Amino acid sequence: MKTLYYNGYIITMNGGKVVGGMLVGENGKIEVAGDFSNVDAIPDSAVKKVDLKGCVVMPSFIDSHSHITAVARTMSLADLNGARSDDDIYSLLTAFKTERGVRDGEWLVGYNYDHNVMKGRRHPDGSVLDGIENPVLITHKSGHMGVLNKKARDILGIESDSDGYLEEAKFIDAANRTPKPSIDVMRASLKEAEKIYLSCGYTVASDGLSGEDEIELLSSSPLDVDVVSIIDYKKKDAILSKYAEYFGKYVGNLKIGGYKIILDGSPQAKTAWLSKPYSGEDSFRGTPYYTDERVEEIMKDAINDGVQLYAHANGDMASEQLIRAYYHVLTGEKLEAKYRPVMIHAQTLRDDQIRRMATLDMIPSFFASHIYHFGDIHRVNLGVMRANKISPIRTSIDYGLNFTLHNDSPVVPPSVMELISSAVNRITKNGAHIGTFEKVEAYEAFEGTTINAAYQYFEEKERGSIEEGKAADFIIIDKNPYEIDREDISSIKVLATFKSGRVLYRNDLFDVNI
């Protein structure tokens, strides 16, 4: 039976249109989005009627970049968020070991520490972790670096200073060689991660750097959310030899949507590749991962395969490398700008680069939560002028550049409302206002998680707004984001999440009969 939702405040994300109701067909698609003034005249036998009682409805969220399989892995890791010293790290790890019954000799893994809030702004000392009778690996909040104790380094055959600190490729290689949970454990953890995404209002999740293990997990796990997997370019041949059916289209709830490369590190760790030195440095600007020639080869390869290239680029030099590569391939091959390559994070993107990206229909996916979580350290590492321009969303809108917003979970939790609040308010964790001239309105920020995100995935005709013919993917929220104070946006709660007209999440506070 069709379902009629009425007496609501429905933000369609179709321009500025707001309607009072919508009719959802048995096929899970929206048949009508409009105002239904005479609902009583419609026979109850014709439709199921749901009185929204004035609730606010909007399209569900589309995750433009995170790592849902990594979020699943964190379900069995020690959360080190908030640690302020080596002693804190030690205590959190040993408490987790006791709570989870981790035996001596088994791997003990933690994540989410931030050296910027620790004493002396330094990374934990691996020798302190040597007192734990386990091989220990802990990952920085950014995911780009971490620390191993001596037992872990000996097992992995890693030569390092006594502090055990590794970063970028060396750390990622070490982390990838630690024992992984069984596939059955990971499937259960993935379902738990899915519940988190649904509670935040997502019906599309991203797996932003999938290898063979991640694709195996996603393809063999029955999920309700759709997942767009962006596969590791270095592993694409092995993956596509087994999972070609997922290439460019959904099979069940999974599709392979692009190739991923990493061009640099992170600004909070001073590993992003900049055009000018870091604040306080004479010449150090970070380090590129690839030559310009190699990035052009990869871009050409992606275009020849008919797939988007997703590139992690935090520093403006890494951004420049990606823009030039796309431009050179397009002009050299005499191609139209229709491939929509995605620049992941784009933290220090310059105005001149934004103008050029707009002409090429490239997409920056801004990690706008950086403003809140890392804005204070950006002011130190980049200086106030450059820090004020991180996540330049206002400038992107002014130049007509299609952008998306993301949280890069598990780096930070997948809270869309915190993400939107960061873009709208631009206030750091310590309360500093950063780059207020780049503030956007709530509607503009929500575009980055709905209709623009659908555009990023070439799915703008199927989802991202409440319009006739699109999937009935929507959420019900407890406050109108356009009527409350902008500082209160982060307090908005998702009451229910629907996908194709079917409720997949319901908050205990929600009392509407659906």
Side-chain angles (χ1 to χ4, degrees):
M1 181 180 285
K2 298 179 181 182
T3 303
L4 174 62
Y5 298 88
Y6 69 99
N7 190 26
Y9 185 92
I10 300 177
I11 302 166
T12 66
M13 299 307 297
N14 176 20
K17 186 178 180 182
V18 175
V19 299
M22 63 179 170
L23 181 65
V24 176
E26 294 179 6
N27 62 355
K29 294 186 180 297
I30 298 166
E31 294 190 358
V32 180
D35 294 312
F36 294 84
S37 57
N38 196 12
V39 174
D40 291 339
I42 302 174
D44 291 344
S45 59
V47 296
K48 175 185 176 181
K49 300 176 185 178
V50 176
D51 185 351
L52 292 169
K53 300 179 181 178
C55 283
V56 180
V57 176
M58 65 183 301
S60 60
F61 300 128
I62 298 170
D63 173 23
S64 57
H65 179 72
S66 76
H67 307 268
I68 190 171
T69 57
V71 173
R73 281 195 293 273
T74 66
M75 301 295 165
S76 59
L77 305 181
D79 188 352
L80 307 178
N81 185 43
R84 296 291 188 271
S85 66
D86 287 349
D87 288 343
D88 287 349
I89 298 283
Y90 186 92
S91 296
L92 288 167
L93 286 169
T94 53
F96 180 84
K97 176 180 176 178
T98 300
E99 291 167 5
R100 296 299 184 95
V102 180
R103 294 173 293 183
D104 289 351
E106 294 181 339
W107 277 84
L108 184 59
V109 180
Y111 79 108
N112 217 18
Y113 83 84
D114 185 358
H115 75 290
N116 292 305
V117 301
M118 294 185 66
K119 186 176 180 180
R121 287 185 55 214
R122 62 172 184 78
H123 293 270
D125 189 334
S127 64
V128 175
L129 306 179
D130 290 342
I132 301 175
E133 293 299 321
N134 302 79
V136 177
L137 178 145
I138 60 174
T139 304
H140 185 267
K141 194 177 187 71
S142 69
H144 284 256
M145 62 213 74
V147 179
L148 293 80
N149 70 354
K150 188 174 187 306
K151 290 183 179 65
R153 300 197 303 273
D154 287 346
I155 290 171
L156 298 178
I158 294 172
E159 293 185 6
S160 172
D161 295 335
S162 60
D163 64 5
Y165 172 74
L166 299 173
E167 63 183 28
E168 301 301 341
K170 289 182 179 179
F171 174 73
I172 293 169
D173 175 69
N176 286 338
R177 290 192 287 128
T178 60
K180 302 295 188 293
S182 71
I183 188 72
D184 289 337
V185 169
M186 282 302 301
R187 286 191 188 111
S189 295
L190 186 61
K191 288 300 290 184
E192 290 301 309
E194 180 186 49
K195 291 177 183 177
I196 295 172
Y197 278 73
L198 286 169
S199 72
C200 292
Y202 286 110
T203 53
V204 179
S206 166
D207 199 52
L209 184 62
S210 300
E212 292 176 79
D213 290 346
E214 288 76 20
I215 292 292
E216 179 187 3
L217 172 64
L218 291 167
S219 64
S220 64
S221 300
L223 295 175
D224 290 312
V225 299
D226 287 338
V227 178
V228 181
S229 168
I230 310 302
I231 61 175
D232 186 342
Y233 174 79
K234 296 177 182 178
K235 302 174 182 176
K236 70 180 182 69
D237 292 338
I239 291 171
L240 294 178
S241 68
K242 295 181 182 178
Y243 301 100
E245 61 186 308
Y246 297 95
F247 187 74
K249 64 179 181 180
Y250 287 101
V251 176
N253 292 77
L254 174 66
K255 82 169 179 179
I256 294 174
Y259 299 154
K260 173 74 175 291
I261 59 173
I262 298 176
L263 299 182
D264 69 346
S266 68
Q268 65 270 36
K270 299 176 75 170
T271 54
W273 185 26
L274 302 173
S275 59
K276 296 180 180 178
Y278 282 93
S279 182
E281 300 282 352
D282 292 332
S283 60
F284 180 69
R285 301 184 292 117
T287 307
Y289 276 38
Y290 293 100
T291 64
D292 292 350
E293 293 75 17
R294 181 56 180 148
V295 176
E296 286 189 29
E297 290 173 358
I298 294 170
M299 180 68 76
K300 186 181 296 185
D301 199 10
I303 288 175
N304 287 339
D305 288 350
V307 67
Q308 279 175 296
L309 184 66
Y310 285 66
H312 167 116
N314 266 311
D316 64 324
M317 276 305 295
S319 299
E320 185 68 23
Q321 189 178 57
L322 182 66
I323 296 166
R324 287 180 179 176
Y326 188 48
Y327 176 77
H328 288 164
V329 172
L330 290 181
T331 54
E333 301 291 319
K334 296 181 173 58
L335 300 172
E336 294 181 36
K338 62 180 182 179
Y339 300 96
R340 303 181 191 174
V342 180
M343 184 184 295
I344 299 296
H345 306 326
Q347 285 301 288
T348 57
L349 196 61
R350 305 189 309 260
D351 288 13
D352 66 292
Q353 294 172 326
I354 291 172
R355 284 198 302 272
R356 288 149 58 209
M357 288 181 71
T359 66
L360 296 171
D361 197 20
M362 299 178 73
I363 299 172
S365 187
F366 293 115
F367 188 175
S369 296
H370 255 252
I371 297 163
Y372 174 74
H373 287 278
F374 307 116
D376 296 304
I377 193 60
H378 290 333
R379 288 160 65 92
V380 175
N381 288 350
L382 301 174
V384 173
M385 294 292 288
R386 279 186 294 184
N388 280 342
K389 286 291 288 182
I390 64 167
S391 293
I393 306 168
R394 174 81 269 150
T395 301
S396 297
I397 293 171
D398 290 346
Y399 282 116
L401 179 60
N402 193 307
F403 70 93
T404 61
L405 303 179
H406 68 265
N407 272 320
D408 200 19
S409 303
V411 175
V412 300
S415 169
V416 178
M417 299 309 172
E418 181 182 86
L419 175 65
I420 299 299
S421 179
S422 291
V424 168
N425 295 303
R426 294 188 68 92
I427 298 175
T428 72
K429 190 176 288 188
N430 289 341
H433 291 260
I434 182 169
T436 55
F437 49 82
E438 288 290 354
K439 283 184 179 180
V440 297
E441 297 303 317
Y443 183 87
E444 296 168 317
F446 278 120
E447 285 184 315
T449 63
T450 54
I451 189 64
N452 289 5
Y455 183 85
Q456 176 180 301
Y457 291 140
F458 290 88
E459 296 179 18
E460 65 271 22
K461 294 181 180 179
E462 288 81 40
R463 61 175 109 216
S465 60
I466 294 176
E467 296 182 66
E468 290 83 353
K470 290 190 175 183
D473 296 354
F474 62 95
I475 58 174
I476 299 175
I477 54 181
D478 70 339
K479 299 171 189 171
N480 189 329
Y482 308 146
E483 293 181 352
I484 64 174
D485 290 340
R486 59 196 299 145
E487 292 81 6
D488 293 332
I489 287 175
S490 60
S491 70
I492 296 174
K493 292 182 175 58
V494 175
L495 299 177
T497 302
F498 295 75
K499 185 173 184 296
S500 298
R502 183 165 65 97
V503 62
L504 298 180
Y505 165 77
R506 180 173 184 149
N507 190 298
D508 292 339
L509 300 174
F510 189 48
D511 62 356
V512 171
N513 182 17
I514 53 177

